[in-house]
């Protein structure tokens, strides 16, 4: 059995007396995609923020590739986040530089990890635009001239170009038209599988986890109330809250 890439134990984050998330533990293996679902206020964003290093948990441990993430120095953690991790925001504008061309958005990530040869960087950026289905002749356009779906695909290219091993995604298809969502999900699934990425995907949309996630954690009131293989949890939910979540989607 391979060892987990990412191990979390008893993670807790409080906002004063209010629980953000508590008692969260899981292992994520290489190439595995885990979904985190739950209604608004259930603690998904808080958990993702703690996992990705955007906020400090109050208790618990996080290990990445055998290393204690919370014990790392800030520069060490930032370097690892740049080379090994990626974060796809719900709003592509939070993950892109709007004043920089599409090619620049992808290329500057390569430069951040040591790329120096301009021709090579441009070639790689062009290749990545193609992989996310953006025509090569848009390379010099700014993302502000792109549709929401294109911006999201560009954000994905910017994040994956450096070959991370672990990708965090916060509602990656949120705020997009249903038809655009379907195409984007397909694209993400293809890239994640081909690159053998591990991913943690937060969403309130069960269709997203159904398509992307191998495993699922259901959150309520900051706690994980049910976890398991995606199909198992969605087809045979054990907890009353999960049953409600699943049946409310089926009724739509
Ligand atoms: N900055 C904050 N200050 C105080 N309480 C907060 C803060 N952020 C979140 N909370 C509280 O922590 C709990 C979990 O919120 P969180 O935003 O993580 O849930 P969520 O599942 O991501 O919701 P949503 O889907 O609406 O983003 C809620 O009770 C929320 O009110």
């Amino acid at each position: 059995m391979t060892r987990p890439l990412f191990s979390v134990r008893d993670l807790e984050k409080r906002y004063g007396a209010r629980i953000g998330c508590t008692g969260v533990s899981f292992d994520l293996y290489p190439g595995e995609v885990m979904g985190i679902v739950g209604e608004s206020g259930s603690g998904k964003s808080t958990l993702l923020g703690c996992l990705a290093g955007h906020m400090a948990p109050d208790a618990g441990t996080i290990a990445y590739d055998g290393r204690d993430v919370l014990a790392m120095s800030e520069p060490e953690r930032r370097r690892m986040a740049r080379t090994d991790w990626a974060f796809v925001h719900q709003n592509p504008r939070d993950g892109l530089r709007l004043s920089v061309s599409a090619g620049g958005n992808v290329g500057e990530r390569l430069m951040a990890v040591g790329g120096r040869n301009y021709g090579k960087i441009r070639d790689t950026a062009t290749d990545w635009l193609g992989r996310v289905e953006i025509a090569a002749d848009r390379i010099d356009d700014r993302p502000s001239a792109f549709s929401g779906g294109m911006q999201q695909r560009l954000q994905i290219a910017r994040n994956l170009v450096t070959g991370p091993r672990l990708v965090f995604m916060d509602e990656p298809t949120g705020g997009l038209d249903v038809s655009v969502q379907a195409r984007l999900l397909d694209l993400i699934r293809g890239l994640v599988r081909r690159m053998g990425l591990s991913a943690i995907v937060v969403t309130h949309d069960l269709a997203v986890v159904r398509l992307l996630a191998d495993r699922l954690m259901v959150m309520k009131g900051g706690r994980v109330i049910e976890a398991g293989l995606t199909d198992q949890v969605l087809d045979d939910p054990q907890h009353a809250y999960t049953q409600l979540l699943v049946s409310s989607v089926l009724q739509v």
Side-chain angles (χ1 to χ4, degrees):
M1 188 95 178
T2 50
R3 77 170 181 188
L5 185 67
F6 198 61
S7 289
V8 174
R9 293 289 175 274
D10 298 319
L11 207 69
E12 176 169 300
K13 170 75 185 171
R14 286 180 175 270
Y15 302 100
R18 185 177 297 137
I19 292 174
C21 65
T22 187
V24 178
S25 300
F26 66 89
D27 288 321
L28 185 73
Y29 286 85
E32 198 176 31
V33 178
M34 192 178 71
I36 302 175
V37 298
E39 65 187 356
S40 182
S42 58
K44 307 182 298 293
S45 308
T46 301
L47 176 59
L48 192 69
C50 291
L51 298 178
H54 297 170
M55 60 176 100
D58 296 310
T61 59
I62 302 175
Y64 170 75
D65 207 12
R67 287 182 287 165
D68 182 347
V69 173
L70 299 175
M72 285 180 187
S73 69
E74 189 52 29
E76 213 180 342
R77 204 192 50 71
R78 246 192 260 135
R79 192 173 333 115
M80 187 195 59
R82 203 166 51 224
T83 54
D84 279 41
W85 293 4
F87 194 101
V88 175
H89 295 267
Q90 170 172 3
N91 187 338
R93 271 157 279 160
D94 293 333
L96 290 172
R97 289 226 290 143
L98 296 181
S99 57
V100 172
S101 70
N105 263 283
V106 179
E108 71 177 9
R109 277 301 168 92
L110 290 168
M111 287 161 70
V113 295
R116 287 291 170 263
N117 180 312
Y118 177 80
K120 259 196 205 153
I121 288 175
R122 195 169 166 94
D123 286 350
T124 307
T126 308
D127 174 49
W128 265 94
L129 291 184
R131 290 199 212 186
V132 297
E133 300 168 7
I134 294 175
D137 65 2
R138 305 299 301 267
I139 191 167
D140 294 318
D141 290 357
R142 292 190 179 176
S144 47
F146 287 179
S147 68
M150 282 171 82
Q151 287 181 357
Q152 193 56 302
R153 283 182 272 128
L154 180 62
Q155 190 195 183
I156 288 165
R158 176 176 158 93
N159 269 282
L160 299 190
V161 68
T162 50
R165 295 168 71 194
L166 174 60
V167 184
F168 301 98
M169 298 189 213
D170 184 10
E171 301 275 8
T173 57
L176 296 170
D177 283 357
V178 173
S179 63
V180 177
Q181 281 186 13
R183 187 169 158 215
L184 183 62
L185 275 176
D186 233 31
L187 182 82
I188 293 174
R189 184 164 69 162
L191 287 170
V192 164
R193 294 282 178 252
R194 266 199 303 283
M195 296 173 74
L197 298 175
S198 300
I200 295 178
V201 185
V202 159
T203 179
H204 67 276
D205 187 342
L206 296 185
V208 170
V209 286
R210 175 77 89 178
L211 208 71
L212 284 184
D214 305 303
R215 276 195 302 133
L216 199 58
M217 293 200 314
V218 183
M219 295 193 71
K220 181 177 193 294
R223 293 167 202 276
V224 176
I225 54 155
E226 187 160 355
L229 295 174
T230 302
D231 290 344
Q232 244 165 43
V233 173
L234 294 185
D235 294 340
D236 186 21
Q238 300 299 305
H239 195 287
Y241 174 76
T242 317
Q243 290 167 359
L244 200 69
L245 213 63
V246 171
S247 65
S248 65
V249 172
L250 294 178
Q251 281 160 17
V252 172

